[in-house]
Amino acid sequence: MYMNTEDQKKIAAEKATENVQSGMVVGLGTGSTVYYALLKLGKMLQEGLDIVGVPTSAGTEKIATAQQIPLATLTTHPSIDLTIDGADEVDAYLNLIKGGGAALVREKIIANASKKILIVVDESKVSRVLGTTFPLPVEIVQFGWESTQTEVNRICGKSTLRLTSTEAGNRHPLITDNGNYILDCHFDGIPVPQEIELQLNNIPGVVENGIFVNRADKIIIGTPSGIRYME
Ligand code: 5RP
C-alpha cells in the first residue's frame, strides 16, 4: 500500500510509542508528526499505561492535556526516560535541524535531560547535507535583535525574521513560548554542524539554535512503503 506524507508521519509516530512503558517519564516533542504519538499515548493510557509526560511547548501541553496525558515539569522530573520528537531535516549521522515549530529551546533542554531520544519523521526530512532543504531556526532575544541578526548573517549569509499573522491578517514577528524571536537562516549546506552550532550560540543575543548533534538514538522514518530506521 502506498503511504502519503500524513500516513508516513502517523506510522513513524505510532511505531515510536511501542517503546513507551509504564513507569516512564516521557518527553513529549512538538509538531505535526509527534501529534500522532500524543493521540496514541492517549489511547494507551486509557488501556492502562501509566506514564507522565514532559511537554516541549505550550502547543504540545494543550494537545497532551486534551488526551488526558498526566503532565510534569523538569522541576519535579529532571530525568526523562524517553523522548519522542520530530525534526525538520535529518542526515545520515543522525544530526538534526529542529525548530520549524519554534520550540527548539525547550526541545533541546528536554533532549539534554533524556536518556533516550527517538526522532519521528516522514521520508521528505531525510537529507544528504544538513541545511540544504530547511532553513536553520535560531532563537534570539528581542532586545537589539537587528544587531544580533547582523552577527548571525556573518555565519549563514542570509536570515529572515520569522513572522506570523493575526486573525485580522496583520503580519508581526512570531514570539516563542520563551518570549523571543526566531531567525530562519538560509545556508547552502552545513557540512560541519557541530561547529556552526557552537559559533551561533557564541553570539550575544542568541538563545539557542536548531542544530542537534549526537542527540538522537534512533530515527524512525515513515516511507511510502513502510518504516525504516537510522541508528
Ligand atoms: C518544533 C520542531 C518539530 O519537531 C519539527 O518542526 C517537525 O515538525 P513536523 O513534524 O510538524 O514536521 O522542531 O520546534
Side-chain angles (χ1 to χ4, degrees):
M1 188 182 101
Y2 177 83
M3 303 210 206
N4 62 28
T5 304
E6 217 48 42
D7 296 331
Q8 294 173 33
K9 292 181 183 193
K10 187 164 187 275
I11 56 167
E14 291 189 346
K15 180 53 88 178
T17 63
E18 292 176 12
N19 295 270
V20 178
Q21 292 166 7
S22 280
M24 280 185 168
V25 180
V26 181
L28 306 174
T30 294
S32 58
T33 312
V34 166
Y35 172 75
Y36 290 110
L38 298 175
L39 296 191
K40 183 72 181 176
L41 288 175
K43 282 195 192 122
M44 289 162 71
L45 279 153
Q46 281 173 15
E47 290 158 8
L49 182 75
D50 178 20
I51 57 163
V52 289
V54 181
T56 52
S57 64
T60 290
E61 183 175 343
K62 203 168 157 198
I63 298 164
T65 302
Q67 296 307 312
Q68 300 182 319
I69 301 174
L71 294 180
T73 65
L74 284 177
T75 307
T76 56
H77 294 73
S79 174
I80 293 177
D81 296 302
L82 172 71
T83 288
I84 301 175
D85 205 347
D88 302 299
E89 199 174 338
V90 305
D91 72 12
Y93 305 99
L94 278 60
N95 299 320
L96 319 171
I97 285 184
K98 289 183 51 53
L104 64 108
V105 171
R106 296 188 187 191
E107 288 172 333
K108 204 178 270 192
I109 292 170
I110 288 195
N112 203 47
S114 300
K115 292 179 196 151
K116 188 167 184 187
I117 301 175
L118 301 178
I119 297 296
V120 291
V121 293
D122 64 82
E123 200 177 42
S124 71
K125 306 289 185 62
V126 181
S127 160
R128 214 168 50 78
V129 178
L130 225 51
T132 50
T133 63
F134 201 86
L136 174 69
V138 178
E139 184 157 336
I140 60 169
V141 297
Q142 293 190 35
F143 178 85
W145 74 268
E146 295 96 332
S147 302
T148 307
Q149 182 179 34
T150 302
E151 292 302 313
V152 166
N153 287 351
R154 285 190 216 283
I155 294 172
C156 72
K158 181 172 176 258
S159 66
T160 46
L161 182 66
R162 195 180 298 182
L163 301 177
T164 186
S165 300
T166 60
E167 277 178 20
N170 300 321
R171 306 273 281 160
H172 61 87
L174 179 138
I175 311 277
T176 69
D177 288 347
N178 315 304
N180 299 315
Y181 288 165
I182 298 266
L183 293 176
D184 289 305
C185 300
H186 303 273
F187 285 85
D188 287 329
I190 308 176
V192 192
Q194 54 273 39
E195 275 179 17
I196 299 295
E197 182 184 17
L198 292 178
Q199 282 176 25
L200 285 168
N201 283 358
N202 208 25
I203 297 171
V206 169
V207 178
E208 189 50 86
N209 69 80
I211 296 177
F212 285 54
V213 173
N214 281 335
R215 305 237 176 223
D217 292 285
K218 192 178 207 176
I219 316 280
I220 304 179
I221 307 161
T223 79
S225 55
I227 301 258
R228 78 179 169 91
Y229 303 97
M230 291 198 295
E231 54 190 313

